[in-house]
Each structure stands twice: as C-alpha cells, then as structure tokens.
Amino acid sequence: MRINPRQLQQNLNKGLAPIYVVSGDEPLLVQECCDSIRTAARNSGFSERELLHAEHNFDWGQLIASAGSMSLFAEKKVIEVRLPGGKPGDKGSKALQEFAALASDDLLLLLVLPKLDRSQLNSKWIKALEQQGVLIQIWPVDAQEMPRWIHQRLRAAGLDAEPEAIQILAERVEGNLLAASQEIEKLKLLSQDNLITAATMSDAVASSARYDVFGLIDRALAGDAESAVKTLHGLRAEGIEAPVVLWALAREIRSLLEIGEKLDQGQPLARLVRIQKRQPLIQAALARLRPRALESLLLRARAVDTAIKGGRDQDPWTGLLELTLNLCGRRSI
C-alpha cells in the first residue's frame, strides 16, 4: 500500500502494519512520520526498539538475526533500519525480501531512506515490503505550495496569519520546512491574540537575519572559508538547530553533483542555474570540487545526519564545521 504523509495517522488508527517504509528528502516530514509510527507502536505494546544503520559494508545478516532475537522482557519489537544511500545492494535486497516473508504481529520494521526513483520503486525488495506493509512517499513542498503548507501548520499550532505575513515567512525559509516549523514555534511565544500580522512576522524573521543558512552556503560556494566559519558559529550562537544547517549543506552538495553531471552532458549553466548571481558561485565550487570529492562530502553529510538522529554523544557542529570547510575547499582554518 502506498500513502502520503497526510493519510498516515488515519492508516495507523486502523491498526499497525508489520512493515513501514518512509521515503523522502524532507527531514521534517520524514521525522514526523517516523515519530507517528513509533508512538503508535509503543501504544500497541512494542516495548523494544533496535536501531540499525545500513551504511557502507553493513552486514545485512544483522537484520535477520535481530528479527529472530527478542528481549526476555519484551513481547513485541520494532526494528528501525536507516538506509541513507537508498540502495541496499544484492545482499540487502535479499535480506529485506526474507524479512518481508517473516512479517508478524509481534515484529515491526521501520525502514527510513531517501526519495526512491522509478527503478527502486519497481525493485523486488520494495514490492515485497509494500505487499506486506505501507510505503509512505514524501514529496517536496514546492514554492507555490509553501504558503498553503505554512498556513496549515499555523492553524495546527492554534494561530492564524495575514496573507502577507504568510508570504514573508515563505520567502524567508525558501522551502526549508524545518526552518519554517521552528519559526512557527517562535511565533507561538510572540503572538498575543493568536493572529500573526505582517509586522509581527517581519520582526520575528528579522531577529534571526544576522546570520542565515543561505548566506553560509553562498560563502562556502565562493570558497571564503573565514566568512563561512564565522557565519556557522553565528548560526549556532543564535540557536539555529544543526539539522537545518545540515539540510542546506547536503542539498547544495547534491545540487552541485547534479549540475556538474549535466554540464558534462553539454547543458548550459544558465539553464541549470536560473539565478544569475549564483552562477559564478556554482562555477567556482565545481572548479575546485570534482565529483568524487562531492560524493565524499555527501557521505560525510549522511554521517552527521546519522549522528544527529541517533542521539550520539559527538557534537554535530564539529561535523558541520568540517563539512563547511571541505565545501570551501579547505581542510582546516
């Protein structure tokens, strides 16, 4: 079964499936879907949870072994597998198909991975998981849909806003749903009568305008390591969450890989990068970062993401600093 995030809660209310596949590149929506599934599982008596990070050289035998091992004190178990690369390989494909055959009421698989392409959606392992469970496909919220999405989130938070206020926030966050959500949480504290005016919204977003994530990206693309690091420290000091910064850096790295590939195919930069002032920044970054270097940066970004989501002790800002410097073409400063 395939559903979208808006249908998930209704689906969960009907009873748990043994398998949930959450696919998408929107960190906030992915996290919220996973939280809803985890909560429903806890409420249904799933008292044990095991987290597996299926990164490079992952032993897929762990998945089958985990399915066969239960705690002495737990009757139901959730196995959460994070697959940041999106492709399990031959061994992973076989293991996931085998797991699908083991589906039961006492075992729940939550598989979290990036957006699936057409070939992946038609793969045997996805079809096997989908046949036994639920595939939640998360699509990006584009610029035209963003104001409506913000309005819905404001209403859910008990707030309303003038159309101009909504547009101000939409332009400020530029498609970053996590940043929008954080601004809405801040507005809940600032609002006195639950109506957000354009003036209130302008004041709210201006309070965090000294250092902005997109300014960090532009400085890193330009190779200005000193300014980029200063901006990164400023973002941290102003309370910007690490996942917001990681989202922007990872998105830009993926974009550089895609643009570089299309340039090699003979497509003009002007068609690929419509904003003229960004064209020299993209050119400068691609001149110093070859595809292999960008792929390495993307793997490092996924490692930082894993550390953040897994609640590991290491400071994610250390990884973000390294990522920023590497995007600038520097190892240290």
Side-chain angles (χ1 to χ4, degrees), residues 78-300:
V78 174
I79 302 175
E80 183 171 336
V81 179
R82 294 178 182 165
L83 184 60
K87 296 181 179 180
D90 292 339
K91 292 181 180 179
S93 174
K94 291 177 182 178
L96 290 168
Q97 290 177 71
E98 184 178 345
F99 188 99
L102 298 173
S104 71
D105 293 337
D106 298 330
L107 195 62
L108 187 151
L109 172 67
L110 172 57
L111 177 62
V112 186
L113 69 173
K115 179 184 175 182
L116 295 168
D117 59 30
R118 182 175 297 180
S119 64
Q120 290 170 301
L121 288 170
N122 290 325
S123 64
K124 291 182 179 179
W125 61 276
I126 277 292
K127 288 184 176 180
L129 296 175
E130 188 179 358
Q131 185 176 5
Q132 295 293 334
V134 179
L135 169 61
I136 303 108
Q137 291 182 280
I138 297 171
W139 302 100
V141 179
D142 62 28
Q144 291 183 337
E145 295 175 342
M146 194 66 183
R148 181 172 62 86
W149 186 88
I150 289 174
H151 192 211
Q152 290 174 344
R153 300 289 292 206
L154 286 166
R155 295 288 294 273
L159 301 172
D160 202 354
E162 297 174 351
E164 185 180 352
I166 293 173
Q167 192 61 40
I168 290 171
L169 182 55
E171 292 175 358
R172 168 64 179 171
V173 299
E174 296 187 22
N176 188 332
L177 305 189
L178 187 54
S181 179
Q182 291 179 330
E183 290 291 348
I184 290 170
E185 288 300 312
K186 185 167 66 175
L187 288 166
K188 287 168 65 176
L189 301 175
L190 295 175
S191 173
Q192 297 181 351
D193 56 2
N194 294 335
L195 177 64
I196 308 300
T197 64
T200 300
M201 186 70 79
S202 294
D203 290 343
V205 298
S207 67
S208 60
R210 183 180 175 189
Y211 295 104
D212 70 275
V213 174
F214 302 101
L216 168 68
I217 297 301
D218 286 350
R219 293 177 181 96
L221 290 176
D224 187 350
E226 185 175 351
S227 295
V229 170
K230 181 180 179 181
T231 302
L232 183 68
H233 290 326
L235 289 168
R236 185 177 190 179
E238 292 186 354
I240 302 300
E241 296 290 338
V244 175
V245 181
L246 178 61
W247 168 86
L249 287 168
R251 185 184 72 163
E252 200 63 39
I253 295 166
R254 285 194 294 268
S255 177
L256 286 171
L257 274 167
E258 183 179 349
I259 292 170
E261 182 178 345
K262 291 181 178 178
L263 285 173
D264 289 341
Q265 295 170 357
Q267 298 189 37
L269 181 64
R271 181 185 298 173
L272 301 172
V273 183
R274 299 298 178 90
I275 302 177
Q276 190 171 3
K277 69 177 183 179
R278 283 181 57 80
Q279 292 175 8
L281 299 177
I282 297 295
Q283 283 181 314
L286 290 175
R288 66 176 180 272
L289 296 168
R290 307 308 300 167
R292 183 174 294 181
L294 290 170
E295 290 169 359
S296 177
L297 286 180
L298 199 54
L299 287 175
R300 292 179 187 177

Side-chain angles (χ1 to χ4, degrees), residues 28-47:
L28 176 68
L29 299 185
V30 169
Q31 185 65 39
E32 289 180 343
C33 285
C34 291
D35 286 344
S36 296
I37 294 167
R38 295 186 196 108
T39 299
R42 283 195 299 270
N43 293 339
S44 297
F46 285 81
S47 55

